[in-house]
Amino acid sequence: MATSESASLSKTVKQHYMDLSQGDKVQAMYIWIDGTGEGLRCKTRTLDSEPKNIADLPEWNFDGSSTYQSEGSNSDMYLIPAAMFRDPFRKDPNKLVLCEVLKYNRKPTETNLRLMCKKIMEMVENQVPWFGMEQEYTILGTDGHPFGWPSNGFPGPQGPYYCGVGADKAYGRDIVEAHYRACLYAGVMICGTNAEVMPAQWEFQVGPCEGINMGDHLWAARFILHRVCEDFGVVASFDPKPIPGNWNGAGCHTNFSTKEMREDGGLRGIEDSIEKLGRRHRYHIRAYDPKGGLDNARRLTGHHETSNIHEFSAGVANRGASIRIPRSVGQDKKGYFEDRRPSANCDPYAVTEALIRTCLLSEEGEEPKEYSK
């Protein structure tokens, strides 16, 4: 398996420089989603003092013609700080700054889905929407070959790897542990992790997060994962079906509830939401991967613990359904439901916005409704 040349550079030599004093200055790494809707970019600037909140962070800019976000003749794009985290790579007082991207005319770029998501979340904040997202991913070598797999073949069939323990079952746990601790340090609301069904496939969970925080924290967790993998010389893939054939794909199951659903008798609200979702299946499929459903078509086949992309279904404890109601929720008559359709490479802003539009704003049809400012 191929690893990057950068991973072989001496970390001991690097540490000599990282131990040097930085005085009163602070390094702020600005992070944004590029024009693919999947890739992340970053660059760093120096601040004169430690920022205490988003208001302390200046706007910045970058060349959008090199990130698939503009043409070279008018390429200046604005970086608008949106969420701030502690930097687990440079450590305190340095920061990670998740940004929105605006065009030269101050309008959002096509892949800046946060702006509208935030507006939609503010419309329903009195209902206290909570989300939890289960991010699956696959560890690959720089040659695209799954980490730990034989170079000219396949590992044993699926079965022993899910939540597995042992060198022949868990491939790449060092990366998982490093990512988990880095997220905790950063202040990301990571709440768990486990090995998944396919060898070299893992999952981490983020939540519960209220409103816009879900998208912010999941994107921050993805960035941290990419950086951890960079240090180890490998690649984290969010492809929904990285290996064709009899291997599980990768999703981003999304758990959702409101204050009403979490209280006694909340099952009625859950069932009402599921009924609304069933009438708007195609809209959600388009929103649940960055290619309008084309990526998910490789994953949602009705096999390997997935539903069929062309059909909507729901059931208690059914992992082959579009929507799963956990058994405990069915017994308690309150709680949350799980939408199992989002792909691993989904934009969490798009997913959470779609759920709010359908379940709480009662939108219908295949197009999102426009709301006045």
Side-chain angles (χ1 to χ4, degrees):
M1 186 197 72
T3 57
S4 72
E5 291 296 322
S6 296
S8 65
L9 295 174
S10 172
K11 306 305 178 187
T12 303
V13 172
K14 175 191 172 186
Q15 193 58 44
H16 166 75
Y17 298 101
M18 298 305 291
D19 288 340
L20 296 174
S21 171
Q22 60 188 72
D24 295 328
K25 303 295 185 180
V26 171
Q27 291 173 280
M29 180 174 283
Y30 281 44
I31 304 159
W32 70 96
I33 302 163
D34 69 17
T36 67
E38 301 179 62
L40 287 164
R41 308 294 179 110
C42 64
K43 64 176 186 172
T44 300
R45 68 181 299 163
T46 302
L47 304 177
D48 291 331
S49 59
E50 182 178 0
K52 302 303 180 185
N53 51 54
I54 290 296
D56 293 339
L57 294 163
E59 292 184 10
W60 207 7
N61 57 69
F62 68 94
D63 171 18
S65 67
S66 298
T67 61
Y68 314 116
Q69 288 172 295
S70 72
E71 297 180 358
S73 60
N74 196 3
S75 64
D76 277 1
M77 315 291 280
Y78 295 102
L79 289 172
I80 313 300
M84 183 170 66
F85 300 87
R86 297 168 70 195
D87 187 337
F89 306 102
R90 295 166 173 153
K91 301 182 181 178
D92 290 337
N94 304 300
K95 305 297 181 185
L96 302 179
V97 182
L98 186 66
C99 299
E100 289 189 23
V101 180
L102 302 182
K103 300 177 183 178
Y104 69 95
N105 57 5
R106 308 289 294 186
K107 292 184 178 180
T109 58
E110 286 73 15
T111 54
N112 177 3
L113 305 186
R114 187 184 189 277
L115 197 66
M116 179 54 69
C117 181
K118 188 171 187 291
K119 177 181 177 180
I120 294 298
M121 292 299 172
E122 289 171 348
M123 293 173 64
V124 298
E125 59 185 353
N126 63 319
Q127 298 188 56
V128 198
W130 285 4
F131 301 92
M133 299 186 79
E134 306 169 22
Q135 178 68 71
E136 294 180 331
Y137 64 96
T138 309
I139 303 173
L140 307 175
T142 54
D143 57 359
H145 195 72
F147 180 84
W149 285 35
S151 57
N152 294 309
F154 298 91
Q158 295 182 155
Y161 308 108
Y162 174 71
C163 297
V165 179
D168 58 341
K169 299 178 183 68
Y171 298 8
R173 193 183 296 275
D174 284 354
I175 292 163
V176 175
E177 294 294 338
H179 173 250
Y180 202 150
R181 188 62 59 88
C183 283
L184 290 173
Y185 181 94
V188 170
M189 293 185 68
I190 188 170
C191 61
T193 190
N194 59 270
E196 267 302 332
V197 177
M198 187 181 82
Q201 185 187 66
W202 294 80
E203 173 184 299
F204 63 87
Q205 303 92 33
V206 175
C209 295
E210 183 176 341
I212 196 66
N213 288 333
M214 184 67 255
D216 292 346
H217 282 248
L218 189 64
W219 275 116
R222 286 175 173 177
F223 174 81
I224 292 170
L225 178 61
H226 285 308
R227 275 289 288 106
V228 167
C229 285
E230 180 183 323
D231 283 348
F232 281 96
V234 296
V235 175
S237 170
F238 297 116
D239 189 294
K241 189 70 173 179
I243 307 298
N246 196 26
W247 302 98
N248 273 36
C252 194
H253 303 157
T254 301
N255 302 279
F256 173 62
S257 70
T258 62
K259 185 174 184 292
E260 178 189 7
M261 294 177 192
R262 296 187 292 270
E263 294 177 343
D264 289 345
L267 184 60
R268 176 175 297 179
I270 292 172
E271 292 173 339
D272 287 346
S273 289
I274 293 173
E275 185 177 338
K276 293 175 183 177
L277 290 167
R279 296 196 296 265
R280 217 176 185 212
H281 180 60
R282 290 178 62 181
Y283 163 73
H284 282 265
I285 289 297
R286 289 207 316 274
Y288 283 1
D289 81 49
K291 296 182 178 64
L294 293 177
D295 274 350
N296 241 343
R298 295 183 284 122
R299 166 181 162 259
L300 296 179
T301 61
H303 304 289
H304 305 108
E305 300 182 57
T306 70
S307 58
N308 187 298
I309 194 170
H310 302 295
E311 301 170 358
F312 180 85
S313 57
V316 175
N318 184 357
R319 284 177 164 77
S322 307
I323 305 293
R324 180 181 71 93
I325 300 175
R327 191 170 301 282
S328 61
V329 173
Q331 294 170 346
D332 297 340
K333 309 297 183 187
K334 63 179 178 180
Y336 67 98
F337 66 85
E338 176 192 47
D339 192 333
R340 297 177 62 81
R341 295 171 294 176
S343 66
N345 61 343
C346 70
D347 189 322
Y349 298 128
V351 172
T352 55
E353 178 187 327
L355 283 166
I356 295 297
R357 284 179 176 274
T358 299
C359 298
L360 303 190
L361 298 179
S362 299
E363 291 186 15
E364 296 184 352
E366 295 189 18
E367 297 298 330
K369 181 180 177 181
E370 293 188 11
Y371 296 92
S372 58
K373 295 182 179 179

